[in-house]
Amino acid sequence: MSEAQKENVEGRVLTYVDAITEGVREVLLEQSNSFVAGEDVGLAGGPFGQYSGLFAEFGEDRIIDTPISEKGIVGLGVGSSAAGCRPIIDVMFVDFMGECMDEIVNQMAKMRYMFGGGVTLPVTVLSMTGAGMSMAAQHSQSLEVWLAHLPGVKVVMPSTPYDAKGSIITAARDDNPVFVLLNKVSLGLKGEVPEGTYEVEIGTAEVVRQGTSFTIVAVSRMVHEALQAAEILSELGVDVEVIDVRSIQPFDTDTVVNSIKKTHHGLVVHEAVEFGGIGGEIVAQIQDQAFDYLDAPVGRIGAPFSPVPFSPVLEKIYVPDADLIVAKVKETLGLS
Amino acid sequence: MSEAQKENVEGRVLTYVDAITEGVREVLLEQSNSFVAGEDVGLAGGPFGQYSGLFAEFGEDRIIDTPISEKGIVGLGVGSSAAGCRPIIDVMFVDFMGECMDEIVNQMAKMRYMFGGGVTLPVTVLSMTGAGMSMAAQHSQSLEVWLAHLPGVKVVMPSTPYDAKGSIITAARDDNPVFVLLNKVSLGLKGEVPEGTYEVEIGTAEVVRQGTSFTIVAVSRMVHEALQAAEILSELGVDVEVIDVRSIQPFDTDTVVNSIKKTHHGLVVHEAVEFGGIGGEIVAQIQDQAFDYLDAPVGRIGAPFSPVPFSPVLEKIYVPDADLIVAKVKETLGLS
Amino acid sequence: MPKQPTKKVLQELHLTMVRIRCFEDTAGRLMEEAKIPGALHLYVGEEAIASGVMQNLSNEDQITSTHRGHGHLVAKGGDFSKMYAELYGRSTGYCRGKGGSMHVSNMELGMLGANGIVGGGPPIAMGAAFANKFLKTKKVAVAFFGDGASNEGSFHEAVNMAALYKLPCIFVCENNGYGEYTPQAKHQTIVDVADRAGGYGIPGVVVDGMDVIAVYEAAREAIDRARKGAGPTLLECKTYRFYDHVGVRGMGMTYRTDEELEKWKKRDPIQSFEAELIKLGVMTQKQIDKVYSKVNDLVEGGVQFAEDSPFPEPSELLEDVYCVKGA
Amino acid sequence: MPKQPTKKVLQELHLTMVRIRCFEDTAGRLMEEAKIPGALHLYVGEEAIASGVMQNLSNEDQITSTHRGHGHLVAKGGDFSKMYAELYGRSTGYCRGKGGSMHVSNMELGMLGANGIVGGGPPIAMGAAFANKFLKTKKVAVAFFGDGASNEGSFHEAVNMAALYKLPCIFVCENNGYGEYTPQAKHQTIVDVADRAGGYGIPGVVVDGMDVIAVYEAAREAIDRARKGAGPTLLECKTYRFYDHVGVRGMGMTYRTDEELEKWKKRDPIQSFEAELIKLGVMTQKQIDKVYSKVNDLVEGGVQFAEDSPFPEPSELLEDVYCVKGA
Ligand SMILES: Cc1ncc(C[n+]2csc(CCOP(=O)(O)OP(=O)(O)O)c2C)c(N)n1
Ligand SMILES: Cc1ncc(C[n+]2csc(CCOP(=O)(O)OP(=O)(O)O)c2C)c(N)n1
Ligand SMILES: [Mg+2]
Ligand SMILES: [Mg+2]
C-alpha cells in the first residue's frame, strides 16, 4: 500500500479474512456475470469463513457449492469463463491443486495461446497456502512456483488485508487467469482496508520498509517476519529495506534490482521449500542484473527439504521466521 | 559415462530408445516383483516403442496395459510398492502429470515422511519430456522442476543411451520413488551401451567435456547442444567445460561449483521455461558457493515465457540450441 | 415415432459427412507425405457422429472436442482453408499456427478446441454449459470424448456436476472400441459406456454410430431435453475408426484384425447412407458425385491456401500468452 | 440365510465399537481443550462400519483410510498409546509425530494411512490389491471413503481398474449424508452411491451402516468374493456422524437440523447393538459396563503415555524423507 493510498484509508481496520470477503463481495456487486464456485463456499461460508455472508446476500445462483471434484471445479472455471462468465473459483487448499493440475497447466494456462488468441479466460482462482497450523503435510504447502513457471497464468500472494482485498478485485477485473494465493495463518491479521473498490496492480512489488544497507525480498506472510527481523537488525545498526514481492508472475524485477543496487546485499525469504522455489529465480535475476553491485552472495531462506511435519515442535523449526532471517543477515554481514 | 566405464563398453552401440528397453528388461529379469504398468505399454510396446518386445517376453502379468487413468496408474504404483512390489510406472508424457499430480505430490512423495518412516515405496516412474516434434503445447513440456521441488522423490534426466539404461536400473534398485524423465527427441540418438546391468549413480553430475575458461551446466538433451556449442566456441579460443547434471534431485552442487571455481564463468541451459525453472536454483547455488570466483553473472538459457507453439518455425525458435548458447557465451565474455 | 428428417436435413447430413471424409483423407495423405508436421488423429469412419450431432446445433452452441478433432470442427462449419493452414502451422490458420491438429479451434463457431489431453474436454463443456445456464441463454454445450476417455477422472467429475446442476450439457461418447491400441475390453469391464449414466442419475442412450440418422435423432432428443432445462444425457455412439490411431497407416501395429476392419468398413456410414438416399429418392448418384467434386475443390483450395500462406513471424511467438488490456 | 455370528464375534464387534467410541470421545475433548493440535475428524456414530468390516480382516490385509481415520486404525488393532501420542505430535506416536490425526498409519497392521486428501485412498488400495494379486498372496485391500469422496476422479479411476483386473479390493463407502457441510443431495443426484457400481460391472451393495451385524455380513461376503478372485465390490454403508465435521462441536454451523441428529442418535450403533446383545443373552449389562471401564482405562493410559512422551528432536525433522540404504 503506497503512502498516498494509506492517507485515504482513514483508519478502517479489517482482518485479512474479512478483507477477502469484502474483495469478493465487491466483485460480485460489480460484475453481474461473476460467481463463486467451490467446496463449501455457500451455506458454510468457506472453511475459513472467507465467504461468510455472501450466500445470504447473493443466493445460491451466485455462490455455488460444488461436489468434492477439483478437476470439475477448475473445469467449471475454464469453460464458464470461455463462455462469457467471470468466475471466482475456490480451490480450498493449494495442496489440492494436485487434483486439478491438468485443468490448470494444460487447459487454463494454454488455451488462449493454443487458440492463437481466440479465447479469453477471465477466471480468478483463490486458494490457501502456508504452514503453521499443525495441519501436516497435505494441508500446509506452498506450491506457488508451479504456477509461476506456467506461461498463461498470473500469480499474486497478498500479505496484508489491504492487498488481499485489492488483489482479488484486480484479479477479477483482469481478463486473464489469475491465482490469488492467500495465507491461512494470516487470516486474523489486521490492517487498514478502504471501503469500496480499489486495485493492487498485478506485477508490482512494494517497498514496505525503506532501508539502505540490506534488502530482504519476502513472499507472502514472510513479509511480516522480515519486518520483524528488520526491527531487530536496526538495533544492531543494519538498516534493512523490505520488499513485498506481492506478485510472483509477473515478477517485478526492477523494484528488487534497484533496491539491491542501493544496498548491495540481498536475501530472499519464502515459506515454500527452498530447493526449486521461487527464491532461486529471484536470486538468479538479481545476480544477473546487479552483479557488479553485490558485496556478498544473495541469500535464500525457504523451508528445509522435507514435507511439512505435523508435530508443532517440528513445524516451528520448519517454517522460516524472524530469528532465522536475523541470523542469516548477520552471517552474510559477518556480524556476530 | 566415465572414462573407465567407456573402456568396458567395447563399442556396443544402441539407440536411446533401445537403451530404455534394455534397462527395463534388466530390471524385470533381476526383480521378480517388478512389473511395468501404463497406457499401451503392452501389446503396442509403448507409444515410442520403448517397451517393445517386453510383452512377448514377460507376458501380460508383468507388462500391464492400463486404462487411460493417470491417477489410477500412479496410485497403482504407490499402493503396490507399499505392498511389496517394485513397479515401473509409465506416465506417457510428462504433460499428463497434471492428471496425477495429487498421487505424486501428496501420496508418493510424502507417504514415508507422514508415516514416520513406516513405509517404503520402491517405485520408478518413466515419462517423456521435451519439445521439438511439432506436438504442440500439451505434449512437449519440461516440467521437471515441479518434481525437483518435492521432498520425497528423486528425479533423473539421462541424456545418453548409456545413462538412460543405467539410470533406469539404478532407479529401480533404489528404495525410493524415482522419476526417470526421458527425452523424446533423443530416442534415435546412438551411443555406447554395455550389456548386462550397471548403475548410474543418482545425484552425481558428469563432466562430459573438460575445459578451463567457461562452464556450461546442461540438463537432458541440452547437453548435446552444449557440446556442439563448445566445439564452435573452441574455434574462437573459448575452452568450455560441459557438465551433464543428470540428476536434478538430488543435485550435485559440488561438481558444478568446482568447475565454476576453475573457469569463473557459468551458463545453465535447460529446455524448460526459463522463469521458475531449475536453472534459477542452480544459479542461486553457484553464486552462493562460488561468489568470489565469478567474473561475470551466471547466465541462464531456458524456453521463453510461452507455451510450446505448434508451428515448426516457432518451435525452432522456442527450443534452446547450440547457436543460442554460443551467442550467450560470447555475450558474457564480451566477444563479438 | 419421430418424424422423418426433411430432405434438406438429409442432404446436409450427407454433405457434412462427405466434407469430413474428404478433408481427412487429404490431411492423412499430407501427413504421411510429411507435408503436415506433427501427428494427426483422423476421424474417418466416425463421420456420422459429428455430422448427426452438429446438425442439431447452431454456431452459438459450444462443443469440446478431442485429439481426433478435425471432424468436429468441419461439422461445426469449419473453413477448410483455415483448417489446413492450421495443420500446416501457418499464420493464417484458425490458431495462427500455434495449435495445430490437436488444438484446432474457433470460438465464433462455438468450437472450444480439439484437445490433446484425453478427458480434457468434458470439464470445459460442463463449464460452458454452466455459463449458458447462468447467463440464461438457450445454448447447449456438447462434450465429445472416446471410450478410452471415459476412464479418466475428469469425465466422472464433469458428468456428476452437469447432472447435479441440471446443465444443458450433452456427453457424446464416440466408442470406437479402442483407446489407442487397447481394446475396450482391456480398459473397462462394461460393454456400454452409457451404463455409467446411472451413476449420475441421467439418461444413458446407446446408438449406432454408423447410422447418421440414428445419431441425429438421438442427439436431437438429448439436445432438446438439455435446452428445456431437463439436464444432461450420456449418448454413446458405437463406431470404428477406419485408419490407425495416428495417421492413416499409423505405426503398423497389429492390434486389430483385418477381418474386424473389413466388417466395419462394410458399414461405412457414408456409403450406406448414400445407398439409402438413392433408395429414398432424396439424391441421385449424379448429385452425390457432384457433392464430392465440389467438396474436393474446397479441399484443393484449402490445401493451396495453406501452402501459399506464410509461417508465423518470430515476433508472434510471445503473442497470445496473455490477453493484454486495450490490445 | 448366512449363519448367525458366534458369540465371540459378537463380543468382539462390540468391543471394537466401544474402543472406537471411547477413543474418539476423549480425543475430541482433548482437541477442544487445545491439548491436541490441529484438526480432528471424529468417527463417532460410524463405529459399526469399521468394526463390521475389520472383523473380517487379518493384520495382513490392507486398508486405506480417510481424514476420518482413527476408527479404522482402532478397529485394525491400533494401540491407544501410540495413537494418542501421534495425535499429540510426540516421537512415540505411530508416525513419530510427523503425521498426526490425518496421517496416522501403521504398516504392521496393514493400515496404509489416514489420508488428508479426499479420494486419496482408493487408488492406493487398488494398488495394494494389485500387489496382493501379483504376489499371489490371499490378502485383500479395503478402501474406506465418504459419500463426498465418491465424486472425486480418483475414485472413478481406481474402481474401474480394480474391476478390470478383478483385484481383491473392496470399496467401502461410508455414506454419512454429508461432505463437510454439504448434504449429499447437493453434491450428487443419486441416493445410493452403490448405484455407481454398475458403471464398472461390479456388485453394488447397500447396507445399514448403523447395524454392525449387517455390515459384518455384507463385508464378509464382499471380502470372501474378493479373496476367491471374483473381484471388487462397492459396499455402501448408510451412516451419520454424531459430531461435527471437525471436532465435537465444530464451527457451530447450522447445516443440519437438531431433529435429524436426534433421529439418527436414536439409532446409535452401539446402544442398539447392546440392547440386542442383552436380549440375545450374549452379554449382560454388567459385562458391558466392564468393557467400558476396561477400555476407558486404556484410554486413560494412552493419554497419559502421550502426555509423558517427548516431542521429536529437531534432528528428526529431516529424517524419513527418503529411505537411506543400509540405514
Ligand atoms: C491424459 C492423457 N493420457 C493419455 C494420452 C495419450 N493418448 C492420446 S489419444 C489416446 C487414446 C484415446 O482413446 P479414446 O478416448 O477412446 O479416443 P480415440 O482415440 O479412440 O478416438 C491416448 C491414450 C493423452 N493424450 N492424454
Ligand atoms: C482433495 C480434497 N478436497 C477437499 C478436501 C477438504 N475436505 C476434507 S474432508 C471433506 C469432506 C469429505 O466428505 P466425505 O468424503 O463424505 O467424508 P466425511 O467427512 O463425510 O467422512 C472435504 C471437502 C480435502 N481434504 N481433499
Ligand atoms: Mg476410442
Ligand atoms: Mg460424508
Side-chain angles (χ1 to χ4, degrees):
Chain A
M1 177 165 48
S2 72
E3 290 308 312
Q5 285 167 327
K6 269 187 189 137
E7 269 161 39
N8 291 328
V9 168
E10 291 174 2
R12 184 171 176 268
V13 170
L14 283 189
T15 57
Y16 190 88
V17 66
D18 288 340
I20 297 170
T21 318
E22 214 172 83
V24 173
R25 182 170 177 272
E26 293 293 351
V27 173
L28 292 166
L29 289 172
E30 179 175 284
Q31 300 166 350
S32 63
N33 55 346
S34 74
F35 59 83
V36 180
E39 295 158 16
D40 285 304
V41 298
L43 191 59
F48 300 98
Q50 70 269 48
Y51 304 107
S52 70
L54 300 181
F55 189 75
E57 181 172 358
F58 296 97
E60 64 175 357
D61 286 350
R62 296 190 68 194
I63 314 292
I64 294 126
D65 277 327
T66 65
I68 312 175
S69 303
E70 287 78 10
K71 301 166 79 58
I73 296 167
V74 175
L76 175 59
V78 173
S80 66
S81 65
C85 289
R86 301 186 74 89
I88 297 177
I89 297 299
D90 183 86
V91 175
M92 200 184 281
F93 288 75
V94 58
D95 313 67
F96 306 163
M97 280 197 321
E99 297 284 2
C100 47
M101 223 32 214
D102 179 70
E103 284 65 30
I104 295 170
V105 61
N106 286 321
Q107 316 297 342
M108 185 190 286
K110 296 184 172 44
M111 211 159 145
R112 181 177 181 83
Y113 192 80
M114 296 186 305
F115 288 17
V119 68
T120 302
L121 302 178
V123 50
T124 300
V125 182
L126 306 186
S127 190
M128 291 285 166
T129 71
M133 294 174 73
S134 297
M135 298 193 81
Q138 294 173 337
H139 286 73
S140 309
Q141 293 170 82
S142 295
L143 296 169
E144 61 272 8
V145 75
W146 284 7
L147 299 169
H149 186 47
L150 212 51
V153 302
K154 300 182 182 181
V155 188
V156 298
M157 301 185 74
S159 69
T160 63
Y162 181 93
D163 282 0
K165 176 176 171 183
S167 299
I168 289 169
I169 293 169
T170 316
R173 287 177 180 169
D174 198 298
D175 282 338
N176 294 286
V178 183
F179 285 78
V180 183
L181 304 181
L182 301 155
N183 182 276
K184 66 175 90 78
V185 173
S186 303
L187 292 169
L189 184 78
K190 287 182 180 158
E192 292 178 344
V193 176
E195 295 201 53
T197 63
Y198 61 92
E199 296 205 4
V200 172
E201 202 184 353
I202 297 174
T204 58
E206 185 181 15
V207 178
V208 291
R209 186 185 201 279
Q210 308 266 356
T212 54
S213 52
F214 206 105
T215 301
I216 300 180
V217 181
V219 179
S220 187
R221 191 171 73 75
M222 289 300 115
V223 170
H224 307 296
E225 299 293 332
L227 286 169
Q228 228 179 292
E231 288 307 312
I232 299 169
L233 286 162
S234 82
E235 284 164 31
L236 300 171
V238 186
D239 186 19
V240 175
E241 180 143 309
V242 177
I243 297 178
D244 180 348
V245 303
R246 298 203 301 197
S247 163
I248 60 167
Q249 187 55 259
F251 181 72
D252 181 358
T253 307
D254 287 349
T255 298
V256 171
V257 166
N258 287 338
S259 174
I260 297 280
K261 283 183 177 170
K262 183 172 70 173
T263 65
H264 309 292
H265 293 92
L267 171 67
V268 183
V269 189
H270 57 62
E271 229 196 286
V273 166
E274 183 175 310
F275 190 100
I278 192 72
E281 174 65 34
I282 298 173
V283 170
Q285 292 198 15
I286 292 172
Q287 69 92 45
D288 187 52
Q289 301 196 25
F291 186 74
D292 292 329
Y293 296 83
L294 287 173
D295 287 348
V298 184
R300 275 189 300 164
I301 292 181
F305 205 66
S306 82
V308 183
F310 165 70
S311 187
V313 297
L314 293 181
E315 193 183 28
K316 177 127 189 31
I317 311 171
Y318 183 86
V319 183
D321 62 9
D323 289 345
L324 195 63
I325 296 172
V326 169
K328 182 84 183 176
V329 171
K330 284 167 72 177
E331 186 198 312
T332 306
L333 295 176
L335 306 174
S336 56
Chain B
M1 174 165 52
S2 74
E3 290 307 312
Q5 285 168 327
K6 270 187 189 139
E7 270 162 38
N8 291 330
V9 168
E10 292 173 2
R12 183 171 177 269
V13 171
L14 284 189
T15 57
Y16 190 88
V17 66
D18 288 341
I20 298 170
T21 319
E22 214 171 83
V24 173
R25 182 170 178 273
E26 293 293 350
V27 173
L28 291 166
L29 289 172
E30 179 175 285
Q31 300 167 350
S32 63
N33 55 346
S34 73
F35 58 83
V36 180
E39 294 157 17
D40 284 304
V41 298
L43 191 59
F48 300 99
Q50 70 270 46
Y51 305 107
S52 70
L54 301 181
F55 189 74
E57 181 172 357
F58 295 97
E60 64 174 357
D61 287 349
R62 296 191 66 194
I63 314 292
I64 294 128
D65 278 326
T66 65
I68 312 175
S69 304
E70 287 78 11
K71 301 165 79 58
I73 297 166
V74 175
L76 176 59
V78 173
S80 67
S81 65
C85 288
R86 302 187 74 89
I88 296 177
I89 297 300
D90 183 86
V91 175
M92 200 184 281
F93 288 75
V94 320
D95 312 66
F96 307 164
M97 279 196 323
E99 298 284 4
C100 46
M101 223 33 214
D102 179 70
E103 283 65 29
I104 295 170
V105 60
N106 286 322
Q107 316 298 341
M108 186 190 284
K110 296 184 172 45
M111 211 160 145
R112 182 179 180 81
Y113 192 80
M114 295 186 305
F115 288 17
V119 68
T120 302
L121 302 178
V123 50
T124 300
V125 182
L126 306 186
S127 191
M128 290 285 166
T129 71
M133 293 174 73
S134 297
M135 299 193 83
Q138 295 173 337
H139 285 74
S140 308
Q141 293 171 81
S142 295
L143 297 170
E144 60 272 7
V145 75
W146 285 8
L147 300 168
H149 186 48
L150 212 51
V153 301
K154 299 182 181 180
V155 189
V156 299
M157 301 186 73
S159 69
T160 64
Y162 181 93
D163 282 0
K165 177 176 171 182
S167 299
I168 289 168
I169 294 168
T170 316
R173 287 177 179 168
D174 198 298
D175 283 337
N176 294 286
V178 183
F179 285 78
V180 183
L181 303 181
L182 302 156
N183 182 276
K184 66 175 88 76
V185 173
S186 303
L187 291 168
L189 183 78
K190 287 183 182 159
E192 294 179 343
V193 177
E195 296 200 54
T197 62
Y198 60 93
E199 296 204 4
V200 172
E201 203 185 353
I202 297 174
T204 59
E206 187 181 13
V207 178
V208 290
R209 185 184 200 279
Q210 307 266 356
T212 54
S213 53
F214 205 106
T215 301
I216 301 181
V217 181
V219 179
S220 188
R221 191 172 73 74
M222 289 300 114
V223 169
H224 307 296
E225 299 293 331
L227 286 169
Q228 228 179 292
E231 287 308 310
I232 299 169
L233 286 161
S234 83
E235 284 163 31
L236 299 172
V238 186
D239 187 19
V240 175
E241 180 143 310
V242 177
I243 297 178
D244 180 348
V245 303
R246 297 203 301 197
S247 164
I248 59 167
Q249 189 54 262
F251 180 73
D252 182 357
T253 307
D254 286 350
T255 297
V256 171
V257 166
N258 288 337
S259 174
I260 297 280
K261 284 184 177 171
K262 185 174 68 176
T263 64
H264 309 292
H265 293 93
L267 171 67
V268 183
V269 189
H270 56 62
E271 230 195 285
V273 166
E274 183 175 310
F275 191 102
I278 192 72
E281 175 64 34
I282 298 174
V283 170
Q285 291 198 16
I286 292 172
Q287 69 92 44
D288 187 54
Q289 300 196 25
F291 187 74
D292 293 330
Y293 296 83
L294 287 173
D295 288 347
V298 183
R300 276 190 299 165
I301 292 181
F305 204 65
S306 82
V308 183
F310 165 69
S311 187
V313 297
L314 293 181
E315 193 183 27
K316 176 124 188 36
I317 311 171
Y318 184 86
V319 183
D321 61 10
D323 290 345
L324 194 64
I325 297 171
V326 169
K328 182 83 184 176
V329 171
K330 283 167 71 178
E331 185 198 313
T332 306
L333 294 175
L335 304 173
S336 57
Chain C
M1 231 207 79
K3 60 177 190 296
Q4 185 63 22
T6 63
K7 191 171 158 178
K8 180 161 166 285
V9 165
L10 293 172
Q11 287 176 346
E12 285 178 3
L13 287 169
H14 176 252
L15 175 62
T16 307
M17 288 202 290
V18 173
R19 275 169 50 85
I20 297 174
R21 177 72 54 97
C22 296
F23 182 91
E24 290 292 68
D25 274 340
T26 296
R29 180 174 55 74
L30 292 167
M31 175 195 156
E32 304 226 328
E33 287 171 7
K35 287 198 179 154
I36 289 179
L40 304 192
H41 305 86
L42 301 171
Y43 199 68
V44 172
E46 311 189 8
E47 295 89 346
I49 305 172
S51 306
V53 172
M54 250 61 95
Q55 188 66 33
N56 296 285
L57 301 181
S58 81
N59 287 356
E60 297 288 293
D61 298 310
Q62 305 102 340
I63 64 165
T64 60
S65 172
T66 68
H67 55 289
R68 201 173 301 290
H70 310 165
H72 302 131
L73 181 50
V74 170
K76 204 87 172 65
D79 175 79
F80 283 9
S81 295
K82 291 184 186 161
M83 285 185 71
Y84 281 121
E86 189 56 37
L87 303 193
Y88 270 84
R90 307 297 165 115
S91 66
T92 53
Y94 266 126
C95 308
R96 306 178 69 193
K98 287 176 179 168
S101 165
M102 273 198 284
H103 307 296
V104 66
S105 68
N106 185 251
M107 292 296 290
E108 277 81 57
L109 297 173
M111 160 63 164
L112 271 67
N115 206 315
I117 296 296
V118 170
I124 298 173
M126 181 271 291
F130 187 93
N132 295 343
K133 185 171 179 184
F134 184 89
L135 299 171
K136 299 194 169 58
T137 69
K138 281 285 158 201
K139 302 182 199 176
V140 302
V142 180
F144 292 92
F145 63 98
D147 51 306
S150 73
N151 298 323
E152 282 283 7
S154 54
F155 160 79
H156 175 71
E157 298 189 7
V159 180
N160 184 60
M161 286 174 72
L164 179 67
Y165 302 130
K166 282 206 176 207
L167 299 183
C169 197
I170 297 92
F171 296 91
V172 177
C173 180
E174 307 182 312
N175 184 351
N176 59 13
Y178 292 85
E180 284 195 3
Y181 314 102
T182 300
Q184 189 191 358
K186 291 265 176 193
H187 70 63
Q188 55 191 200
T189 54
I190 53 173
V191 173
D192 294 333
V193 174
D195 283 354
R196 295 202 165 153
Y200 314 100
I202 62 169
V205 178
V206 181
V207 73
D208 179 0
M210 306 309 263
D211 178 346
V212 71
I213 299 197
V215 174
Y216 167 72
E217 303 282 3
R220 190 176 58 192
E221 198 171 313
I223 290 165
D224 285 353
R225 197 172 175 277
R227 272 199 225 283
K228 272 191 300 216
T233 299
L234 174 52
L235 174 59
E236 177 183 8
C237 306
K238 306 279 192 186
T239 186
Y240 200 79
R241 61 173 153 67
F242 290 174
Y243 296 160
D244 211 334
H245 171 62
V246 177
V248 177
R249 284 155 311 167
M251 305 200 284
M253 298 200 195
T254 53
Y255 60 100
R256 315 193 292 193
T257 63
D258 289 344
E259 293 73 51
E260 184 179 282
L261 178 58
E262 286 316 313
K263 196 194 81 189
W264 280 92
K265 276 200 171 163
K266 288 214 183 84
R267 306 192 46 225
D268 185 316
I270 302 182
Q271 278 173 21
S272 55
F273 189 52
E274 286 171 354
E276 184 76 8
L277 289 175
I278 291 171
K279 213 177 78 190
L280 288 172
V282 176
M283 290 178 90
T284 63
Q285 185 61 49
K286 224 178 189 162
Q287 285 173 306
I288 288 172
D289 292 345
K290 214 165 144 198
V291 169
Y292 280 90
S293 79
K294 274 196 180 165
V295 170
N296 275 323
D297 285 350
L298 289 174
V299 166
E300 250 175 70
V303 172
Q304 197 60 52
F305 175 83
E307 295 190 348
D308 292 345
S309 290
F311 281 108
E313 292 297 317
S315 64
E316 293 178 43
L317 178 69
L318 291 178
E319 288 171 11
D320 304 325
V321 182
Y322 294 95
C323 171
V324 184
K325 268 221 174 112
Chain D
M1 232 205 80
K3 61 177 189 298
Q4 184 63 20
T6 62
K7 190 171 160 179
K8 182 162 163 284
V9 165
L10 293 173
Q11 286 176 347
E12 283 177 5
L13 287 169
H14 176 253
L15 174 62
T16 306
M17 290 203 290
V18 172
R19 275 169 49 87
I20 297 173
R21 177 70 55 96
C22 296
F23 182 92
E24 290 292 68
D25 274 340
T26 296
R29 180 174 54 74
L30 292 166
M31 175 196 155
E32 304 226 327
E33 288 171 7
K35 288 197 178 156
I36 290 178
L40 304 191
H41 304 86
L42 301 170
Y43 200 68
V44 172
E46 309 188 11
E47 295 89 346
I49 305 171
S51 306
V53 172
M54 249 60 97
Q55 187 69 29
N56 296 285
L57 301 180
S58 80
N59 286 356
E60 296 288 292
D61 297 310
Q62 305 102 340
I63 64 164
T64 60
S65 173
T66 67
H67 55 290
R68 202 174 299 290
H70 310 165
H72 302 132
L73 181 49
V74 169
K76 204 85 169 70
D79 175 80
F80 283 11
S81 295
K82 290 183 186 160
M83 286 184 70
Y84 281 121
E86 189 56 36
L87 303 194
Y88 270 84
R90 307 298 165 115
S91 66
T92 53
Y94 266 125
C95 308
R96 306 178 68 193
K98 288 177 179 167
S101 165
M102 274 199 284
H103 307 297
V104 67
S105 69
N106 184 252
M107 292 297 289
E108 277 81 57
L109 297 173
M111 160 63 165
L112 271 67
N115 206 315
I117 297 296
V118 170
I124 298 173
M126 181 272 290
F130 187 93
N132 295 344
K133 185 172 179 183
F134 185 90
L135 299 171
K136 298 193 169 58
T137 68
K138 281 286 158 201
K139 301 182 201 177
V140 303
V142 179
F144 292 91
F145 62 98
D147 50 306
S150 73
N151 299 323
E152 282 281 8
S154 54
F155 160 79
H156 175 70
E157 298 188 8
V159 179
N160 184 58
M161 287 174 72
L164 179 67
Y165 301 132
K166 280 205 177 209
L167 299 182
C169 197
I170 297 93
F171 296 91
V172 177
C173 180
E174 306 182 311
N175 184 351
N176 59 13
Y178 292 85
E180 285 194 2
Y181 314 102
T182 300
Q184 189 191 357
K186 291 265 176 194
H187 71 63
Q188 55 192 200
T189 55
I190 52 174
V191 173
D192 293 334
V193 174
D195 283 353
R196 296 206 162 150
Y200 314 100
I202 62 168
V205 179
V206 180
V207 73
D208 179 0
M210 306 308 262
D211 178 346
V212 71
I213 298 195
V215 174
Y216 167 72
E217 303 282 4
R220 190 177 59 193
E221 199 171 313
I223 290 165
D224 284 353
R225 195 172 176 278
R227 272 198 224 284
K228 273 191 300 215
T233 299
L234 173 52
L235 174 59
E236 177 183 9
C237 306
K238 306 280 192 186
T239 187
Y240 200 79
R241 60 173 154 67
F242 290 174
Y243 295 160
D244 209 334
H245 172 64
V246 177
V248 177
R249 284 155 311 166
M251 304 200 285
M253 299 200 196
T254 52
Y255 59 101
R256 317 193 290 194
T257 62
D258 289 345
E259 294 73 51
E260 185 180 281
L261 177 58
E262 286 316 312
K263 195 194 82 187
W264 279 93
K265 275 199 172 168
K266 289 213 184 86
R267 306 190 47 224
D268 185 314
I270 303 181
Q271 277 172 22
S272 56
F273 188 53
E274 286 172 354
E276 184 76 7
L277 289 175
I278 292 171
K279 211 176 82 189
L280 288 172
V282 175
M283 291 178 89
T284 63
Q285 185 61 48
K286 223 177 189 163
Q287 285 174 307
I288 289 172
D289 292 346
K290 213 165 142 195
V291 168
Y292 281 91
S293 79
K294 274 195 178 166
V295 170
N296 275 323
D297 285 351
L298 289 174
V299 166
E300 250 175 69
V303 172
Q304 196 61 51
F305 174 84
E307 295 191 349
D308 292 347
S309 290
F311 281 108
E313 293 296 318
S315 64
E316 293 177 45
L317 178 69
L318 291 177
E319 289 172 10
D320 304 326
V321 182
Y322 294 96
C323 171
V324 184
K325 268 222 174 107

